Amino acid sequence: MIKQFSIVMISLFLTAPAMAAGGDVELQKRDWSFSGPFGTFDKASMQRGFQAYREVCAGCHGMKLIAFRNFADLGYNNDEIKAIAAEYEVQDGPNDDGEMFMRPGIAADRIPSPYANDNAARASNNGALPPDLSLIAKARGNGPDYLFSLLAGYKDAPGGTTVPDGMYYNAAYPGHLIAMPQPLYGEDVTYSGDADDSIEGISSDLVQFLMWAAEPKMEVRKRIGVAAVFFLGIFVVVSYMAKRRVWADVH
Amino acid sequence: MAESDTNKNPAKEDVQEPGRRDFIVVATYAMAGLGAAAVAWPLIDQLNPAADTLALANIEVDISKIAVGQSITVKWRGKPVFIRHRTADEIVRANATDLDDLRDPQIDTARAEKPEYLVLVGVCTHLGCVPLGQKTGEVRGDYDGWFCPCHGSHYDTSGRIRKGPAPTNLEVPPYNFLSDSVVRIG
Amino acid sequence: MSANQFKSPVVRWIDHRLPVFSMLHHTAHDYPTPKNLNYMWNFGSLAGLSLAIMIVTGIVLAMSYTAHVDYAFDSVERIMRDVNHGWMIRYIHMNTASFFFIVIYLHMFRGLYYGSYKAPRELLWMLGVVIFLLMMATAFMGYVLPWGQMSFWGATVITNLFSAIPYVGESIVTLLWGGFSVDNATLNRFFSLHYLMPFVIAGVVVLHIVALHRFGSNNPIGIDTKGPQDTISFHPYYTIKDVFGIAVFLLLLAMVVFFFPNAMGHPDNYIPANAMQTPAHIVPEWYFLPFYAILRAVPDKLGGVLLMFGAIAVLFILPWLDRSPVRSARFRPLFRIFFWLFFVNAIALGYLGGKPAEGIYVILSRVATAWYFLHFLAILPILSMFEITKPLPKSISEPVLKGNSKRAGPLGAGLEPAE
């Protein structure tokens, strides 16, 4: 009886999120290096993703939960982090005159957002609000696949679909009409070395970076998880054997 | 009504009953203890400073704009830090002090890596007020350093206690000069 | 009780003045328990463990959480990113909440199947329903605290339900909100109450266990224990069995926490709350889905609210709806069929609660809701009057001696005490 209960219950809520996502959106499923119980982030790809974010996305999208000191996860050392931070201007203050002022960033600062607030963002984007990307990979069902499909999903609208002014057709976006113009066309970012700079290549790098940004602790989580499941697996066996031993005289 | 029974239930230690102190049972409880300790540690460690707090454990300060004779105050680990660009006269007086006159004897060169710049934690060692003397026009006390208005402690041009209830000199935080114009505190 | 001889003089000194050791010994050590309990009896201790985990992780989280609309969401992200091991404590807290409900539902279904709610355990059952209600309130308020989109809109939808009450409904909602919509006042009071309720639950759990110990546990064949031959001491038999159960529970919990931590949640709650924009589909957490389905099944707002609360109220009066003198479904073949139908229907209600209220889902929800109430209000009373049950064994020890405790053999050889 227990088995029946458990199997039904567990399979029910593991499929619940999939059941909730709907529509006829096209989702391209990819193999991500961070998938699975032993998944890890691809540091080189994340660095390229950060570069792509800075050059393509940061004009409209903030990432205010990420601090420059977090970039140690991407493989940058302290001096590199200081240098990256110093390229940004952040607001500080008030000074002794009571005024706010701008100063170069330090490692402890968070990435400054392009707009002072949501209203300013909407005013500059025809009323649409470009979301902050810190958590976007967790804030959408099937996050990584969805984001990849979205970036690569701009195509001509199928016959019969009217696309209003200021909107664009996207195969992966729910409802298919998105306010963001196509951000990538290929070769949008000049990578050092011979990394793939096609739409797929850049999108893949961005997804690595964004997945890390949404959950920087993922690698630690999976590492501890392997140890915990291993330990508990043994504990299940040992405790069962102990139970049978103690109950031997009753059975 | 459930009855208590000591006859039928297998006894514990006094009868040769297999299964009580068996290795496998002991192993189970040992693993449980290990597991409990493994769980307890993160719950205690989370009390320690978080990453964003640790990120502000040290700061870098540009001291190039401090004119001779001027002081600035910066915040470090939630406390004020005084950085004074001392005049030649202040340095001479700090060095000329007889150590016997000091409640907490320390020579000036032990308190300043570069004599022109004094870096001190601006918290009175008596009961924790912030001494005066940073801003132009503020009282500096009888020894021309700092004066704590709460209970009347006087510090000299090296930040050492000269008069009043404070027991020790103003604390010198860990610091080093990254260049002639930047000092890293902490 | 004072007959207990402890070896340590320190323990004896304390126990003489405050008999806590004697009490523990009587309650959890020597305590006579039916010898034939199966694993469906593990869920009580697992529920207690879940409560303990929730309280410990919750108190720790509260050290870093800020209950203000401008800071709540970011404070949770700070826990996830900056606080040492914060991500783990947070994921454990939110997933153990789900596991708590899994365990409690299995615990309740055990009670339904084996007739644990029947005399003399009616009050034990009702205390359990009280705990269930408190759990639902605690979980509801807890989900609001991260201040994501689902937090905010779930709070808005559920608190708005009370406006269905005639005459005073609107005033009650304003009172609950502390304002004209779900806002900072609401969040603050939800934090205070969410911190408080688990301790109220703990208190009711103590009453629940006291009530349990009055007559002892029920057992799979539903027959009262007749004497020491039918029982064994709680320690070491059920302590080690509970340890095994806990091991399995923790293994499953670890698999979810470390590898699928967001599987039972909703992605929209990683979007900060926005009062100006409603998510496409507002869904409560999965453990509320059956009741959500019942709520939406009724086209009338007040009717839906009444029926949703009625679904829990009907649990309270269950001991008086099912009056069959036979407790366990093992000896009630017809009841057993309807029990499984009810179980499937409950799963269906949960599934339908997560679907949009459109098309065929509406009809199915109404059928499933009707069946839910039909089961309690019609089927059970009728069954208890007319069902022909299988013959009961004479005692617990008897089928065990026969070697096959599933079949209800009639008499059999005389009662021999178990060794």
Side-chain angles (χ1 to χ4, degrees):
Chain A
M1 196 194 172
I2 307 154
K3 254 212 190 104
Q4 286 148 316
F5 279 136
S6 327
I7 293 172
V8 174
M9 296 301 241
I10 291 176
S11 46
L12 191 69
F13 29 84
L14 282 183
T15 54
M19 289 191 281
D24 55 340
V25 291
E26 290 171 28
L27 204 65
Q28 297 182 44
K29 293 200 189 290
R30 307 263 296 186
D31 258 329
W32 299 105
S33 71
F34 48 78
S35 305
F38 305 101
T40 50
F41 291 117
D42 179 339
K43 286 199 170 74
S45 176
M46 286 200 286
Q47 291 194 9
R48 292 195 301 271
F50 170 57
Q51 183 189 355
Y53 163 73
R54 279 185 86 168
E55 296 179 19
V56 179
C57 323
C60 301
H61 290 281
M63 284 191 84
K64 61 184 170 131
L65 293 177
I66 307 297
F68 297 110
R69 58 181 165 84
N70 296 132
F71 287 154
D73 289 351
L74 269 53
Y76 292 118
N77 62 38
N78 281 339
D79 291 328
E80 289 167 323
I81 291 175
K82 262 170 69 170
I84 295 173
E87 291 168 23
Y88 287 80
E89 288 245 297
V90 300
Q91 192 183 64
D92 201 350
N95 58 21
D96 287 339
D97 295 323
E99 286 163 1
M100 309 301 283
F101 59 92
M102 303 298 279
R103 57 157 177 78
I106 59 174
D109 290 326
R110 301 229 153 95
I111 301 182
S113 294
Y115 303 108
N117 51 61
D118 282 359
N119 288 358
R122 284 188 192 277
S124 300
N125 290 284
N126 293 321
L129 176 64
D132 184 282
L133 297 180
S134 310
L135 280 167
I136 198 84
K138 286 207 289 191
R140 302 285 184 271
N142 300 307
D145 289 337
Y146 168 75
L147 292 171
F148 180 87
S149 309
L150 185 82
L151 290 168
Y154 284 85
K155 42 178 66 132
D156 292 326
T161 322
T162 20
V163 180
D165 259 352
M167 304 293 276
Y168 307 85
Y169 186 85
N170 187 294
Y173 191 73
H176 295 302
L177 295 175
I178 189 172
M180 172 171 79
Q182 183 168 350
L184 298 172
Y185 291 91
E187 294 179 17
D188 314 81
V189 183
T190 318
Y191 288 141
S192 58
D194 55 358
D196 180 6
D197 62 356
S198 65
I199 296 183
E200 285 77 23
I202 301 177
S203 303
S204 178
D205 293 332
L206 272 168
V207 168
Q208 281 276 340
F209 176 66
L210 290 175
M211 189 67 225
W212 165 82
E215 187 147 0
K217 302 292 182 189
M218 180 203 275
E219 286 182 322
V220 177
R221 163 164 71 80
K222 291 184 178 181
R223 255 208 314 276
I224 297 183
V226 169
V229 167
F230 180 71
F231 174 84
L232 286 168
I234 296 181
F235 187 53
V236 163
V237 171
V238 166
S239 61
Y240 184 65
M241 289 164 63
K243 183 260 176 189
R244 292 294 299 231
R245 197 71 181 86
V246 169
W247 278 74
D249 54 355
V250 176
H251 287 320
Chain B
M1 178 61 155
E3 285 175 294
S4 170
D5 167 75
T6 43
N7 302 355
K8 295 294 176 193
N9 284 338
K12 282 129 213 96
E13 285 84 17
D14 43 89
V15 172
Q16 306 295 70
E17 279 290 352
R20 300 297 169 270
R21 288 292 170 264
D22 245 37
F23 166 73
I24 196 72
V25 175
V26 171
T28 302
Y29 287 113
M31 280 188 86
L34 242 159
V39 164
W41 167 242
L43 293 172
I44 296 175
D45 191 34
Q46 62 83 28
L47 292 166
N48 272 323
D52 57 348
T53 310
L54 290 173
L56 294 171
N58 45 61
I59 58 168
E60 291 174 16
V61 186
D62 180 4
I63 52 175
S64 57
K65 306 275 189 331
I66 314 177
V68 178
Q70 269 201 321
S71 303
I72 63 164
T73 307
V74 296
K75 194 158 114 161
W76 172 73
R77 295 190 185 173
K79 293 173 280 208
V81 166
F82 299 155
I83 305 178
R84 179 172 286 182
H85 191 169
R86 297 194 290 186
T87 61
D89 181 53
E90 286 170 344
I91 300 172
V92 162
R93 275 185 286 145
N95 279 307
T97 314
D98 190 349
L99 286 183
D100 291 335
D101 293 338
L102 296 172
R103 177 178 305 161
D104 179 13
Q106 266 189 307
I107 55 174
D108 185 64
T109 43
R111 292 175 58 76
E113 192 184 301
K114 287 191 195 184
E116 311 85 63
Y117 291 102
L118 199 56
V119 181
L120 303 169
V121 178
V123 174
C124 183
T125 59
H126 178 231
L127 289 173
C129 295
V130 179
L132 302 170
Q134 284 293 91
K135 304 212 166 63
T136 350
E138 259 182 10
V139 182
R140 286 192 170 195
D142 296 348
Y143 294 84
D144 203 31
W146 288 268
F147 171 72
C148 187
C150 289
H151 309 100
S153 295
H154 298 252
Y155 297 90
D156 65 12
T157 55
S158 184
R160 297 173 295 206
I161 181 66
R162 301 300 290 269
K163 192 162 103 173
T168 53
N169 303 331
L170 289 177
E171 187 195 331
V172 178
Y175 71 88
N176 62 294
F177 285 90
L178 296 180
S179 70
D180 282 340
S181 55
V182 177
V183 63
R184 183 184 136 116
I185 306 176
Chain C
M1 240 153 297
S2 53
N4 275 315
Q5 297 294 319
F6 294 104
K7 283 194 279 209
S8 158
V10 175
V11 169
R12 272 212 295 273
W13 186 92
I14 298 175
D15 198 66
H16 182 56
R17 292 154 177 73
L18 176 70
V20 59
F21 294 104
S22 295
M23 192 203 70
L24 273 173
H25 210 264
H26 173 74
T27 305
H29 197 282
D30 290 348
Y31 189 73
T33 318
K35 58 164 51 162
N36 60 335
L37 300 184
N38 62 28
Y39 281 102
M40 290 308 288
W41 264 259
N42 274 52
F43 293 108
S45 66
L46 290 179
L49 174 72
S50 301
L51 179 64
I53 295 176
M54 293 306 285
I55 289 179
V56 169
T57 53
I59 290 175
V60 165
L61 287 173
M63 294 181 181
S64 300
Y65 171 75
T66 303
H68 187 285
V69 293
D70 293 334
Y71 298 111
F73 188 88
D74 286 350
S75 75
V76 173
E77 279 303 309
R78 180 173 174 272
I79 289 171
M80 297 292 290
R81 293 159 191 271
D82 287 329
V83 174
N84 296 339
H85 319 288
W87 58 271
M88 178 162 56
I89 299 170
R90 194 262 178 125
Y91 276 149
I92 291 177
H93 193 76
M94 76 193 226
N95 284 294
T96 305
S98 280
F99 271 66
F100 198 177
F101 276 95
I102 298 173
V103 158
I104 268 319
Y105 282 135
L106 290 168
H107 187 69
M108 289 162 79
F109 275 113
R110 183 279 312 265
L112 290 177
Y113 188 85
Y114 293 107
S116 307
Y117 50 84
K118 290 174 183 291
R121 297 182 179 86
E122 303 94 321
L123 204 55
L124 171 66
W125 171 261
M126 291 163 74
L127 284 169
V129 180
V130 168
I131 294 174
F132 179 56
L133 269 172
L134 288 172
M135 276 174 66
M136 291 170 77
T138 309
F140 166 69
M141 290 190 294
Y143 193 67
V144 177
L145 301 183
W147 210 241
Q149 274 286 65
M150 277 307 166
S151 305
F152 178 86
W153 288 100
T156 301
V157 165
I158 297 303
T159 45
N160 259 320
L161 289 180
F162 292 91
S163 64
I165 302 171
Y167 304 114
V168 291
E170 291 288 345
S171 311
I172 290 183
V173 175
T174 307
L175 180 83
L176 289 176
W177 284 343
F180 304 110
S181 66
V182 170
D183 205 339
N184 201 47
T186 326
L187 177 62
N188 249 289
R189 62 188 58 177
F190 276 9
F191 181 52
S192 169
L193 294 174
H194 180 74
Y195 203 118
L196 167 71
M197 302 274 258
F199 298 100
V200 177
I201 291 176
V204 183
V205 165
V206 171
L207 294 177
H208 189 69
I209 294 179
V210 171
L212 171 71
H213 282 199
R214 175 72 179 84
F215 296 106
S217 294
N218 188 17
N219 65 83
I221 61 174
I223 294 179
D224 287 336
T225 57
K226 303 284 193 301
Q229 72 276 16
D230 291 337
T231 64
I232 45 180
S233 59
F234 191 81
H235 179 75
Y237 297 100
Y238 288 109
T239 41
I240 195 67
K241 195 173 182 187
D242 278 347
V243 166
F244 169 63
I246 289 173
V248 175
F249 174 83
L250 290 177
L251 176 64
L252 293 171
L253 180 65
M255 282 159 64
V256 169
V257 163
F258 291 104
F259 298 110
F260 308 102
N262 294 300
M264 292 188 274
H266 200 286
D268 274 2
N269 227 31
Y270 280 107
I271 303 173
N274 183 353
M276 300 293 128
Q277 184 179 51
T278 310
H281 298 117
I282 302 180
V283 213
E285 285 288 87
W286 68 268
Y287 36 81
F288 290 137
L289 290 177
F291 302 98
Y292 198 56
I294 294 175
L295 173 76
R296 294 188 306 177
V298 186
D300 175 54
K301 186 172 173 187
L302 180 60
V305 175
L306 288 175
L307 224 59
M308 182 180 78
F309 286 118
I312 303 174
V314 92
L315 290 173
F316 268 109
I317 59 172
L318 175 62
W320 293 274
L321 294 170
D322 177 8
R323 296 174 181 267
S324 168
V326 177
R327 286 199 188 109
S328 172
R330 288 236 184 116
F331 305 104
R332 303 179 64 188
L334 261 184
F335 172 86
R336 198 186 317 161
I337 296 174
F338 282 107
F339 169 85
W340 286 112
L341 278 174
F342 173 77
F343 177 72
V344 170
N345 188 56
I347 303 289
L349 273 174
Y351 173 80
L352 292 165
K355 288 286 162 210
E358 295 155 12
I360 192 173
Y361 299 127
V362 178
I363 318 240
L364 289 176
S365 300
R366 291 184 181 158
V367 169
T369 301
W371 185 264
Y372 180 95
F373 286 98
L374 214 68
H375 175 85
F376 286 108
L377 297 171
I379 294 171
L380 289 187
I382 294 175
L383 273 179
S384 48
M385 284 195 279
F386 296 114
E387 180 180 24
I388 300 179
T389 60
K390 292 166 133 181
L392 297 172
K394 273 203 170 159
S395 80
I396 291 173
S397 303
E398 192 209 312
V400 170
L401 279 174
K402 290 232 183 294
N404 185 353
S405 51
K406 281 212 192 306
R407 277 194 325 114
L411 307 250
L415 296 168
E416 280 161 42
E419 276 313 308

